[in-house]
Amino acid sequence: QVQLVESGGGLVQAGGSLSLSCAASGGTFSNNAMGWFRQAPGKLREFVAAISRSGDSTYYAESMKGRFAMSRDNAKNTVYLQMNSLKPEDTAVYYCAAVRTPYSGAYYYKEYDYRYWGQGTQVTVSS
């Protein structure tokens, strides 16, 4: 059983930056591919970014490419999401997710691939 706790959300002006963290406990963190998703009010949850177990492979939703960067530190059992050039439409609750996988280079971008989810952290971008 993996527990995930997100942190780092908050209020930021458009054009600003935020760095989210997701701390994992339980299980072996490095056995899990990780992902970030977000859900804006009145909208479905959507994929943001994913990273492989090793951290060597990352994948981003098109609208996040060049602005967001996902990384992980397996020694600290933590995954990060650096968000730059934030826009009001980035306002959402951001969720961290984990899935155990035997494939070190695999990443996943579908919600149903993930087994473990955090409670989310609110990101609000003002115009």
Side-chain angles (χ1 to χ4, degrees):
Q1 188 79 7
V2 177
Q3 293 81 44
L4 303 171
V5 178
E6 303 94 337
S7 62
L11 174 64
V12 64
Q13 288 189 332
S17 298
L18 274 178
S19 181
L20 305 183
S21 298
C22 172
S25 60
T28 301
F29 180 68
S30 59
N31 286 343
N32 292 271
M34 303 295 293
W36 285 99
F37 291 76
R38 70 184 186 184
Q39 187 168 20
K43 295 187 177 182
L44 297 174
R45 190 155 55 185
E46 64 174 344
F47 169 75
V48 173
I51 193 166
S52 61
R53 283 174 42 186
S54 63
D56 291 343
S57 298
T58 54
Y59 181 70
Y60 300 92
E62 192 63 35
S63 61
M64 286 67 162
K65 288 180 180 178
R67 298 192 301 126
F68 291 10
M70 186 174 184
S71 60
R72 66 188 295 162
D73 185 338
N74 286 343
K76 295 183 177 180
N77 291 356
T78 301
V79 68
Y80 306 96
L81 184 68
Q82 177 65 40
M83 305 186 294
N84 301 321
S85 302
L86 284 163
K87 306 174 183 179
E89 51 264 43
D90 293 319
T91 295
V93 177
Y94 283 72
Y95 297 91
C96 173
V99 57
R100 184 182 174 92
T101 176
Y103 308 110
S104 62
Y107 51 78
Y108 304 88
Y109 57 91
K110 297 293 187 181
E111 278 192 64
Y112 56 69
D113 284 323
Y114 287 89
R115 180 171 182 181
Y116 305 105
W117 293 83
Q119 294 300 306
T121 185
Q122 176 70 47
V123 171
T124 303
V125 184
S126 64
S127 57

